[in-house]
Amino acid sequence: MMTKLQRQSMRFLSTICCLFLIAIKSFPVAAADGDDNNTVVSFVIHLNGQPDPCGTTRLVTQEQIDKWSSTAQNKYELETILTDEMVSVLNTETSSCHDEDLEEQTNNNNDDDDERSLYTFCDRGPELTPILLDHKQLIKTQHQTLPCRWYTREGLRITSGEQLQALLETAKNRSSSTSSCSNPQDASDCDTSTQAEGTATTEVHLYAVPAGRVFMFAPAYVGEIFQLDHLKLLPDVNKPIYLKVLSTNPRVFDILNVFTPEEADAVVQRALNETSPTHRIKRSTTGTTENAVFTKRTSENGFDTHGTVALALKQRIFELLGYDEYWDGHDDGLQVLRYNLTQAYIQHDDYLTDPGKKDTFDYESAKKGGNRYATVLLYMTDLPDGAGGETVFSEAWPNDVLPHHRTHLKTAIKELRKNGDTQLAGITEGSWEEEMVALCRTRLAIKPHAGRAVLFYSQHPNGEMDRNAKHGGCPVLNGTKWAANLWVWNTPRKGYKGAPIRDDVDPATLSDNGPKQLFATFVNTGKDPAMANAELYYESQKWGPLHPDKPLSANTYEGHRWNVRVGDEVVTSWVIGNEQKQQFVI
Ligand SMILES: *[C@@H]1O[C@H](CO)[C@@H](O)[C@H](O)[C@H]1NC(C)=O
Ligand SMILES: *[C@@H]1O[C@H](CO)[C@@H](O)[C@H](O)[C@H]1NC(C)=O
Ligand SMILES: *[C@@H]1O[C@H](CO)[C@@H](O)[C@H](O)[C@H]1NC(C)=O
Ligand SMILES: *[C@@H]1O[C@H](CO)[C@@H](O)[C@H](O)[C@H]1NC(C)=O
Ligand SMILES: CC(=O)N[C@H]1CO[C@H](CO)[C@@H](O)[C@@H]1O
């Protein structure tokens, strides 16, 4: 924490520095860098997920930016133009905007510019580039490589010239207000005459994401704020959505104002109503196989893949994570969780492994496979004080405890036994649940409360698993905890179009191992007059009217869900089983 005195002297220093800047600005030489238009911009480049920039560009004129903006016909052209242009204006002497993994691998000291160029970061080569759904639309750079995608610090993908210009304007406004005012909060301090000269360098920060990779926020310190002004305010909340950093390693964030109490209620109600055997609330399973009940996950869960609210939440979360469009198959559906008294989920990784290689799916996200990379947790209920139920990151320590004040697990267990909290709830001495309660009181633990949302990453920006993201659901010591989570994948997941397949799988055998196409018929007998205007949907996508005596049919896959709607209401919901031909009747 800064003391008041320190803050004052900081302000004093910044005033001096501004006066100094103003002094410099009166020399014509300051604006000399080939600019007639009074506007010069320098781009500050960050590699995906890195708070510190890897380099800055030479000054760029408005005219140049106008040209890039007007040349690009779509987002793919824009990202290629930006990649080429950034390479050409980057100050290479001071830049480290290249792929360090690659440099290490090739392990050579030669000063080959190619290997130290941003191009090697944007295109990490076929072995390290997952193939995303829009891969075919990517346009090669002048260097015949794949381009980066470009984002703001807040995760807004730059998809058009207008957006780039808007970014520039925001940055210009910011730099003019900070360079000519000693106190940006107080406009009376601003010297408008220097603002009019406008010769201060405007810095625009751009975050480069390699082809095939996903954007990740780049937290620098605990408490840092990322205000996501590109996300729409929720009508009932009416406050900006923002992230607040809870931990930088693992990367954990609070997400504020991202869902409403009404949405939380709707999701819980829907979960309680669900009757489909695959989606209803039941004892949870773990891992890559769907039916492994695990003794150290005692909580229950259901899935909400099709509810209107669940879908709205999913789309909002995707936008928040940096997707400019919702990609089907990149998530597991909203998982709704219930933890009754004493129930818990021991610390684990959301990142999946398949050591026995039972799947043809390629889980190696560090190469070109896919895995879960982001988890968003939504807490739906308040618990009484001391009621447990935290989400604990077992490899991370609380931020407000100095290292030498950290409590050992054994000490924490002793304390628990002394004050008897856990026995009261029905947790026995020596059980894994007891040890978890102790862990939750010593490690980085997030207290649930209604409306709280948390984001964490299970992968590093280069796709490697983040082993510090191990976490668990602490035993509930009083009441019931409701929560929901969304797992987001860096590629389509198993069974979905575009899912990555292991290299060592013979494609000829794939049809046997991969998901089987099945045939379903949907019939409206007309017996129920309420179904006269029924419509058939595949998940939330309309398929067609399901009129009496006009059956519909479709090729589909096991686990896929078809819904019958009357008006806005889903009245019946079918999940495809494993038989070749199936019929569903209302
Ligand atoms: C920048 O400032 C101008 C003038 O004050 C204002 O009209 C404009 O809306 C601002 N633009 C952005 C993107 O903040
Ligand atoms: C749950 O089921 C009840 C009774 O069928 C119904 O009235 C209610 O609208 C349902 N709620 C949701 C959220 O689907
Ligand atoms: C959790 O509590 C609910 C409500 O009391 C109950 O219906 C459910 O069966 C309980 N689940 C388990 C696994 O005990
Ligand atoms: C559980 O919480 C309720 C409500 O805050 C409180 O009255 C009760 O004493 C708590 N029970 C235990 C065992 O702490
Ligand atoms: C305000 C100003 O000087 N605008 C100039 C910027 O550069 C273009 C192209 O050289 C000129 O046409 C503008 O007049």
Side-chain angles (χ1 to χ4, degrees):
M1 284 307 252
M2 262 196 274
T3 64
K4 197 167 172 204
L5 187 68
Q6 277 171 320
R7 265 198 303 270
Q8 272 171 351
S9 58
M10 289 274 290
R11 191 169 298 160
F12 176 68
L13 281 175
S14 65
T15 309
I16 293 193
C17 121
C18 286
L19 290 173
F20 183 59
L21 267 180
I22 291 165
I24 287 186
K25 275 194 268 173
S26 51
F27 287 97
V29 68
D33 212 306
D35 172 58
D36 304 325
N37 261 333
N38 254 355
T39 304
V40 282
V41 178
S42 140
F43 289 92
V44 180
I45 312 290
H46 297 248
L47 303 182
N48 188 25
Q50 304 304 325
D52 295 328
C54 61
T56 54
T57 68
R58 295 195 298 271
L59 297 179
V60 175
T61 62
Q62 179 69 48
E63 216 179 324
Q64 276 173 287
I65 295 166
D66 290 348
K67 195 167 147 234
W68 308 342
S69 302
S70 58
T71 313
Q73 298 299 308
N74 59 42
K75 62 184 178 188
Y76 298 105
E77 290 186 13
L78 183 65
E79 68 192 19
T80 302
I81 291 172
L82 281 178
T83 305
D84 281 327
E85 295 295 347
M86 290 304 141
V87 168
S88 82
V89 295
L90 203 60
N91 285 315
T92 43
E93 318 79 61
T94 52
S95 141
S96 58
C97 299
H98 54 268
D99 192 331
E100 276 170 15
D101 292 354
L102 186 95
E103 198 178 32
E104 236 166 68
Q105 272 169 28
T106 48
N107 195 22
N108 60 16
N109 309 328
N110 77 27
D111 284 336
D112 186 349
D113 275 351
D114 276 5
E115 296 211 344
R116 298 184 50 82
S117 136
L118 179 62
Y119 284 129
T120 65
F121 175 76
C122 296
D123 185 345
R124 305 179 72 226
E127 288 307 309
L128 300 177
T129 304
I131 306 299
L132 298 182
L133 288 171
D134 65 353
H135 190 83
K136 287 211 177 85
Q137 281 160 274
L138 303 188
I139 301 163
K140 291 254 173 84
T141 64
Q142 289 165 5
H143 200 63
Q144 294 310 305
T145 55
L146 298 174
C148 273
R149 268 174 289 130
W150 298 89
Y151 290 80
T152 66
R153 169 178 172 274
E154 290 74 26
L156 173 67
R157 180 174 179 186
I158 300 164
T159 54
S160 69
E162 292 82 60
Q163 228 179 3
L164 185 65
Q165 299 285 4
L167 204 63
L168 210 63
E169 197 180 317
T170 311
K172 266 194 259 176
N173 282 3
R174 196 183 305 126
S175 75
S176 66
S177 67
T178 51
S179 64
S180 50
C181 312
S182 58
N183 177 0
Q185 256 75 51
D186 181 2
S188 67
D189 269 5
C190 299
D191 180 351
T192 44
S193 65
T194 59
Q195 212 171 351
E197 278 175 35
T199 44
T201 304
T202 298
E203 288 193 338
V204 175
H205 289 253
L206 292 181
Y207 289 69
V209 176
R213 295 281 155 199
V214 284
F215 171 83
M216 286 190 192
F217 288 102
Y221 57 91
V222 171
E224 186 183 9
I225 302 278
F226 291 76
Q227 191 162 320
L228 312 184
D229 286 329
H230 58 286
L231 298 189
K232 269 211 264 340
L233 308 189
L234 299 184
D236 307 329
V237 179
N238 222 13
K239 288 186 202 143
I241 298 176
Y242 65 96
L243 302 184
K244 191 171 176 188
V245 177
L246 293 171
S247 162
T248 54
N249 175 22
R251 296 170 163 88
V252 188
F253 309 80
D254 253 323
I255 318 172
L256 287 101
N257 308 321
V258 75
F259 73 113
T260 67
E262 292 73 29
E263 287 174 324
D265 284 350
V267 167
V268 170
Q269 278 312 313
R270 177 147 218 126
L272 286 168
N273 268 10
E274 179 65 68
T275 53
S276 143
T278 52
H279 285 57
R280 72 184 162 81
I281 287 266
K282 56 181 185 294
R283 177 72 186 270
S284 301
T285 57
T286 55
T288 51
T289 49
E290 307 278 285
N291 36 26
V293 169
F294 177 53
T295 55
K296 293 181 181 177
R297 184 180 187 185
T298 46
S299 53
E300 299 163 282
N301 75 279
F303 279 93
D304 190 346
T305 48
H306 66 293
T308 334
V309 174
L311 205 75
L313 283 172
K314 282 205 298 193
Q315 288 175 345
R316 199 177 308 149
I317 291 169
F318 268 67
E319 199 183 349
L320 178 141
L321 290 175
Y323 289 79
D324 64 315
E325 50 193 301
Y326 175 73
W327 273 354
D328 200 30
H330 271 248
D331 65 87
D332 292 83
L334 200 64
Q335 180 177 227
V336 185
L337 307 155
R338 173 169 64 194
Y339 289 78
N340 287 355
L341 198 63
T342 76
Q343 291 181 351
Y345 186 3
I346 201 162
Q347 59 272 23
H348 60 278
D349 292 297
D350 283 351
Y351 191 99
L352 298 175
T353 52
D354 180 24
K357 302 215 164 166
K358 289 199 260 341
D359 278 343
T360 54
F361 185 86
D362 180 0
Y363 288 95
E364 271 200 75
S365 57
K367 296 188 175 160
K368 55 190 174 176
N371 216 305
R372 293 173 180 156
Y373 79 95
T375 302
V376 172
L377 288 166
L378 308 175
Y379 301 99
M380 314 294 209
T381 43
D382 287 311
L383 291 178
D385 266 352
E390 304 92 338
T391 300
V392 66
F393 288 85
S394 50
E395 313 302 309
W397 295 93
N399 301 303
D400 52 355
V401 179
L402 291 170
H404 61 278
H405 284 159
R406 288 171 182 166
T407 318
H408 285 286
L409 205 58
K410 281 197 179 122
T411 317
I413 292 177
K414 264 191 216 141
E415 275 169 24
L416 280 182
R417 289 182 186 172
K418 207 162 62 193
N419 64 28
D421 294 356
T422 39
Q423 285 94 324
L424 214 57
I427 288 175
T428 51
E429 281 192 12
S431 63
W432 67 271
E433 287 98 336
E434 184 194 45
E435 186 169 323
M436 258 204 102
V437 176
L439 196 69
C440 299
R441 293 189 181 181
T442 52
R443 303 304 163 100
L444 177 67
I446 290 161
K447 249 180 103 156
H449 60 75
R452 186 168 199 181
V454 165
L455 157 69
F456 65 88
Y457 289 119
S458 295
Q459 289 180 22
H460 293 292
N462 65 1
E464 276 169 22
M465 173 182 176
D466 184 350
R467 294 186 183 276
N468 288 334
K470 201 182 269 283
H471 61 283
C474 301
V476 170
L477 305 176
N478 191 355
T480 301
K481 167 182 153 191
W482 281 95
N485 70 357
L486 190 72
W487 286 310
V488 186
W489 292 63
N490 67 300
T491 65
R493 69 184 173 95
K494 189 171 123 183
Y496 279 81
K497 184 168 166 261
I501 301 299
R502 285 197 339 254
D503 270 347
D504 57 342
V505 171
D506 176 0
T509 63
L510 211 54
S511 58
D512 295 327
N513 295 341
K516 247 197 206 90
Q517 197 175 70
L518 308 170
F519 186 75
T521 312
F522 307 93
V523 184
N524 184 353
T525 57
K527 282 181 198 149
D528 183 350
M531 299 290 172
N533 294 316
E535 291 176 315
L536 184 70
Y537 279 71
Y538 164 63
E539 299 279 0
S540 59
Q541 241 170 312
K542 188 163 164 183
W543 196 259
L546 188 55
H547 291 313
D549 301 320
K550 286 207 181 122
L552 293 174
S553 54
N555 291 323
T556 182
Y557 292 89
E558 185 176 351
H560 278 196
R561 174 187 287 272
W562 294 79
N563 297 302
V564 179
R565 288 190 189 218
V566 176
D568 278 347
E569 196 75 23
V570 174
V571 290
T572 300
S573 189
W574 294 306
V575 178
I576 304 295
N578 60 9
E579 278 154 45
Q580 187 58 49
K581 284 192 175 160
Q582 300 173 50
Q583 193 177 66
F584 300 90
V585 179
I586 46 173

